Amino acid sequence: MKKIDMLTPIGILIGISMVVFGVISSGGMSGFLAFIDVPSILIVLGGVFGTLCVSFPLKQLKNMGRVGKQAFQSKEINVEEIVGTFVHLSEKARREGLLSLEAELEQIDDSFVKKGILLAIDGVEPEMIRELLEAEIAAVEERHARGRSMFEKAGDYAPAWGMIGTLVGLVLMLKSLNTPSSLGPNMAIALLTTFYGALLSNLFFQPIAAKLAGKTEHELFVKEVIIEGVIGLQAGQNSRFVQAKLKVFAPVEKQKLEEKREHVREA
């Protein structure tokens, strides 16, 4: 079940708040209004969008919003629950055989787990199971990397378009030195486009790319755990061995807690 990942909007809000606080505390509301310049914003956003259109096909660009949305969502994937699931399945498989696991598939939501169990039930060799499931992992990693690359490129392009806007402003300013009234607006374009480009890159595009990369890494890690569980099922390993093998994937803190519980039971 997906929930809102509050850290992403909170982090963005904190960054914006610090910038606004720094501006207002130094120059008041008038100082804040001086940082609002529509031409500068259009140069950076329009330039970034234009370069993304050149860099990526339309089909991929259409998914940018959906991909970015993942940074604001949190899908709970509990490794301990996965370990418990495979321990239960291994116990049933040893008692009733692999074919008995078909009845358990309806209670499993994860399609990757279902696919692995079905391969085990069909009697596919462990090496082939691992090869097929790892091929799917590679496909997932490639798909996520393509989606994430749009934000990574946008993070690279935004500061560059900020500098382009600065050059535009400087040229306009130098051309209008004899017109003092136009120096202010041209200077604003020259300076604020760099500001907007750096802000968008370091507070939005690059952090979202980093968040997406972290989510992908965790998802692939969980899939590796699932592969080990499926291989254990296919090999007919007993539940205690499956649990011991998969427990190494649990967080260190959880492992220590489990060890303490084991000592308490033994005492």
Side-chain angles (χ1 to χ4, degrees):
M1 180 180 179
K2 291 184 178 180
K3 299 180 179 179
I4 297 177
D5 186 346
M6 293 303 299
L7 281 178
T8 301
I10 287 174
I12 293 175
L13 183 61
I14 289 174
I16 294 174
S17 299
M18 292 301 99
V19 173
V20 172
F21 172 76
V23 172
I24 292 179
S25 63
S26 300
M29 187 55 66
S30 60
F32 173 74
L33 294 176
F35 277 76
I36 306 295
D37 187 74
V38 175
S40 298
I41 295 173
L42 292 177
I43 287 174
V44 175
L45 289 179
V48 169
F49 180 72
T51 49
L52 288 178
C53 288
V54 175
S55 302
F56 299 96
L58 179 61
K59 183 178 179 180
Q60 189 170 344
L61 281 176
K62 286 181 178 179
N63 293 326
M64 188 172 184
R66 182 181 59 80
V67 172
K69 186 179 178 181
Q70 302 301 316
F72 295 85
Q73 294 179 333
S74 177
K75 183 179 180 181
E76 294 183 358
I77 305 177
N78 194 321
V79 176
E80 291 182 339
E81 289 183 2
I82 292 174
V83 173
T85 297
F86 278 104
V87 169
H88 167 70
L89 293 175
S90 64
E91 290 175 348
K92 184 167 184 176
R94 284 178 66 84
R95 289 195 313 266
E96 306 173 24
L98 281 174
L99 290 177
S100 66
L101 299 183
E102 286 185 332
E104 300 286 334
L105 294 178
E106 296 180 358
Q107 303 176 12
I108 298 175
D109 297 327
D110 193 310
S111 60
F112 191 76
V113 175
K114 283 184 177 180
K115 181 176 181 179
I117 294 175
L118 284 173
L119 289 172
I121 292 174
D122 291 340
V124 179
E125 291 297 322
E127 294 80 7
M128 184 62 68
I129 292 177
R130 186 181 297 277
E131 183 177 342
L132 289 171
L133 295 182
E134 286 185 347
E136 184 168 334
I137 288 179
V140 170
E141 186 175 13
E142 175 63 23
R143 185 172 68 252
H144 288 193
R146 285 200 306 269
R148 186 173 66 248
S149 66
M150 292 184 288
F151 287 91
E152 292 172 342
K153 288 298 183 182
D156 293 336
Y157 295 146
W161 276 100
M163 291 302 299
I164 290 172
T166 297
L167 294 175
V168 170
L170 289 175
V171 170
L172 293 175
M173 185 180 67
L174 292 174
K175 278 192 169 186
S176 59
L177 288 177
N178 294 328
T179 310
S181 62
S182 64
L183 291 179
N186 292 334
M187 178 63 77
I189 293 177
L191 297 179
L192 288 178
T193 48
T194 297
F195 169 75
Y196 290 141
L199 188 66
L200 283 172
S201 176
N202 293 285
L203 187 59
F204 187 72
F205 293 127
Q206 295 288 7
I208 283 182
K211 174 63 73 73
L212 292 173
K215 288 179 179 292
T216 297
E217 183 178 351
H218 180 64
E219 182 178 345
L220 298 183
F221 167 76
V222 171
K223 289 185 184 299
E224 291 290 348
V225 177
I226 292 170
I227 289 177
E228 294 301 325
V230 170
I231 297 300
L233 281 180
Q234 204 279 342
Q237 297 169 352
N238 65 62
S239 59
R240 292 185 65 85
F241 182 80
V242 171
Q243 184 178 29
K245 183 173 69 170
L246 297 185
K247 271 176 60 177
V248 299
F249 294 100
V252 176
E253 294 80 5
K254 297 291 184 181
Q255 291 185 40
K256 291 181 179 179
L257 181 60
E258 287 295 325
E259 290 175 359
K260 289 181 180 179
R261 289 175 179 172
E262 289 292 335
H263 289 315
V264 170
R265 293 193 193 102
E266 291 174 0

